[in-house]
Amino acid sequence: MAAEAVDLILTADAVLTVDAAGTVVEAGAVAIRAGVIVAVGPAVDLLARFVAVEVLASPGCVIAPGWVNTHTHLAMNLFRGAADDVTLEVFLERMISAEMRTLSAETVSIGTRAGIAECLAGGTTTALDMYWFPRASRAVAAEAGFRLLNGPIFMGDQDPEGRDFAGMLAEGRAILADNRAETPDDDLWVMPHSAYLLDRGQLESIRALAADAGARVHTHASESHGEVAMAAQVNGDRPVAVLDQAGLLTARTVLAHAVHLTDGEIDRIAASGVAVAHCPVSNLKLGCGIARVPDLLAADAAVSLGTDGAASAGALDMFAAVRMAALLHKGTTNDPTMISAERAVRLGTVDGARAVGLADVGTIEAGMQADLQVVRVETLNAQPTRDPWSALVYAATATDVRHTVARGRIVLRDRVLQTIDENTALRELSEVAAR
Ligand SMILES: [Zn+2]
């Protein structure tokens, strides 16, 4: 029988498929053709069955799906370290003033490129990204081979290009039309910042814009006590209720944070199908609190993970988010069985993909998009590797990622970025930060 041709075969000590059964293939391999996974199985079988343009062998490593970061602001790498150890309210005040001074299509491109470089070098292949100049970010992501989900952002009357709200709606409509034309198969996104920086009328206009375009929605909700109070001041109710009344609490919306929830809000979130992007590192750093993730999971709500931007989280590090999600809720519940290592990997991969509506991302199975990370575990910090889930969650770090494959393309090879010049990205970032 003639061997079947594929583009790439990856082999490693184990493949964490993250399929429904949690299958781990020891001495495993993944065969990829045209950006799609063709087969997963024992390396001996796949190497006999397929002939590949390249076989990338990674002894001492495990292969896992690329991380799906369901809440970030990539270009905020420009502002890393600019507002540490302050409250969310002070953070936002400082950030918005710096952003209005600094941001342009050029600087957002530079910040986003550095952010995507950090993501790819740390095993993240998809991000839900809320920021200004979304056209600029999309162009950078397309060059880098990164799966970026974004769309027009609405943040009250804040616009670095000086539009009023009507102008922002018109620009939003134009961006959605262009995105639809350029990537007809991808879902569109509309990004109202929050129920405290937008009033009810604005939220309803944004919902109508999203409905007309068939777009998904991403927003912040109930991140801090201060935010809950501000929503009450601006809109007379708690953020989740305001969003619900505006028609934005649906299975096509992702809420970032959702830290301060009542029991009733948890029930409503679960019933509506809205997804919660849990950002534990950012929530801790800003002193916002600890999201009620065990209660959300018990209610069968959709939960995924995000980093938030580098200015609020310190880094776009999904290993940190996954590990923190696994650790934090053991601490709050005094229950070490809460969020196992495997469950944490699911939150960071397949659950994130489902939250953002990607049915063919987040697991390593035939027919899925080839978004993968190859992580070295034969290291001082991860040996011996008794359980690859445990190694990935409790021991490995972002710098242990050897290779990253996005849509079948090797975008990080032996820790060298292939689609972004790392030195140029860093130099440009420093130049903008020094302005
Ligand atoms: Zn955010």
Side-chain angles (χ1 to χ4, degrees):
M1 196 174 73
E4 203 182 315
V6 292
D7 299 327
L8 177 63
I9 293 179
L10 302 168
T11 69
D13 294 0
V15 179
L16 283 70
T17 64
V18 196
D19 65 4
T23 306
V24 174
V25 185
E26 304 281 348
V30 183
I32 296 163
R33 184 170 50 223
V36 174
I37 296 168
V38 175
V40 186
V44 284
D45 296 352
L46 265 61
L47 291 169
R49 185 173 147 203
F50 298 102
V51 56
V53 175
E54 177 175 7
V55 176
L56 185 58
S58 303
C61 296
V62 299
I63 302 174
W67 300 125
V68 179
N69 184 347
T70 59
H71 179 61
T72 190
H73 315 279
L74 293 173
M76 287 189 83
N77 275 33
L78 292 167
F79 306 109
R80 193 193 317 260
D84 290 342
D85 307 334
V86 295
T87 63
L88 175 64
E89 292 68 34
V90 174
F91 171 86
L92 284 172
E93 204 183 290
R94 287 200 201 159
M95 278 307 119
I96 292 172
S97 99
E99 283 166 329
M100 294 308 132
R101 273 197 318 273
T102 310
L103 297 184
S104 64
E106 184 217 359
T107 56
V108 168
S109 298
I110 288 168
T112 304
R113 190 173 293 111
I116 290 175
E118 183 183 357
C119 288
L120 292 175
T124 298
T125 47
T126 299
L128 182 58
D129 179 46
M130 180 195 288
Y131 216 60
W132 286 287
F133 299 96
R135 296 174 195 271
S137 310
R138 287 175 81 85
V140 170
E143 274 169 33
F146 185 74
R147 195 182 301 283
L148 181 87
L149 313 174
N150 76 358
I153 175 177
F154 297 91
M155 197 165 169
D157 46 15
Q158 307 292 342
D159 181 55
E161 294 177 280
R163 297 182 188 90
D164 62 7
F165 188 73
M168 288 183 228
L169 276 178
E171 171 68 1
R173 208 167 286 120
I175 290 171
L176 292 170
D178 289 348
N179 291 354
R180 171 62 74 223
E182 284 159 21
T183 49
D185 296 336
D186 292 355
D187 280 345
L188 299 171
W189 286 87
V190 170
M191 307 206 164
H193 181 274
S194 57
Y196 62 99
L197 291 180
L198 294 156
D199 65 31
R200 285 175 185 272
Q202 291 172 328
L203 288 168
E204 271 156 31
S205 304
I206 293 164
R207 187 205 56 80
L209 174 73
D212 287 349
R216 291 175 179 270
V217 174
H218 184 36
T219 189
H220 296 93
S222 299
E223 181 174 0
S224 69
H225 286 303
E227 178 198 319
V228 174
M230 276 194 283
Q233 220 170 48
V234 176
N235 287 312
D237 214 333
R238 294 172 58 86
V240 171
V242 173
L243 294 170
D244 201 4
Q245 288 150 19
L248 291 169
L249 219 62
T250 77
R252 292 172 61 79
T253 294
V254 177
L255 302 181
H257 306 301
V259 175
H260 299 285
L261 300 178
T262 64
D263 291 347
E265 287 169 341
I266 288 178
D267 291 343
R268 180 65 194 122
I269 283 172
S272 69
V274 69
V276 168
H278 176 40
C279 304
V281 175
S282 169
N283 296 158
L284 289 176
K285 183 164 175 289
L286 283 161
C288 287
I290 297 175
R292 296 176 60 186
V293 171
D295 296 329
L296 285 164
L297 293 175
D300 233 355
V303 178
S304 59
L305 295 177
T307 57
D308 210 348
S312 54
L316 304 176
D317 182 351
M318 281 294 288
F319 280 82
V322 169
R323 186 185 298 186
M324 191 61 74
L327 296 180
L328 194 54
H329 305 291
K330 297 181 193 336
T332 57
T333 58
N334 290 321
D335 177 3
T337 67
M338 183 58 66
I339 308 187
S340 66
E342 179 181 337
R343 188 77 181 83
V345 172
R346 289 185 177 282
L347 290 172
T349 55
V350 64
D351 294 355
R354 296 301 169 272
V356 297
L358 296 170
D360 59 351
V361 171
T363 70
I364 304 179
E365 296 176 273
M368 301 294 278
Q369 298 283 320
D371 289 358
L372 314 164
Q373 53 179 323
V374 182
V375 183
R376 193 159 172 242
V377 292
E378 210 166 77
T379 55
L380 289 171
N381 54 295
Q383 278 294 300
T385 308
R386 293 195 168 84
D387 170 3
W389 302 103
S390 166
L392 197 63
V393 173
Y394 298 128
T397 67
T399 51
D400 293 326
V401 176
R402 296 298 316 162
H403 315 297
T404 304
V405 175
R407 294 176 163 129
R409 180 175 176 195
I410 300 172
V411 288
L412 181 81
R413 183 191 284 272
D414 284 317
R415 293 218 53 71
V416 179
L417 290 164
Q418 304 295 299
T419 54
I420 293 175
D421 185 294
E422 184 174 333
N423 290 330
T424 306
L426 287 172
R427 180 175 47 73
E428 290 178 344
L429 188 75
S430 314
E431 283 168 7
V432 176
R435 274 181 205 171

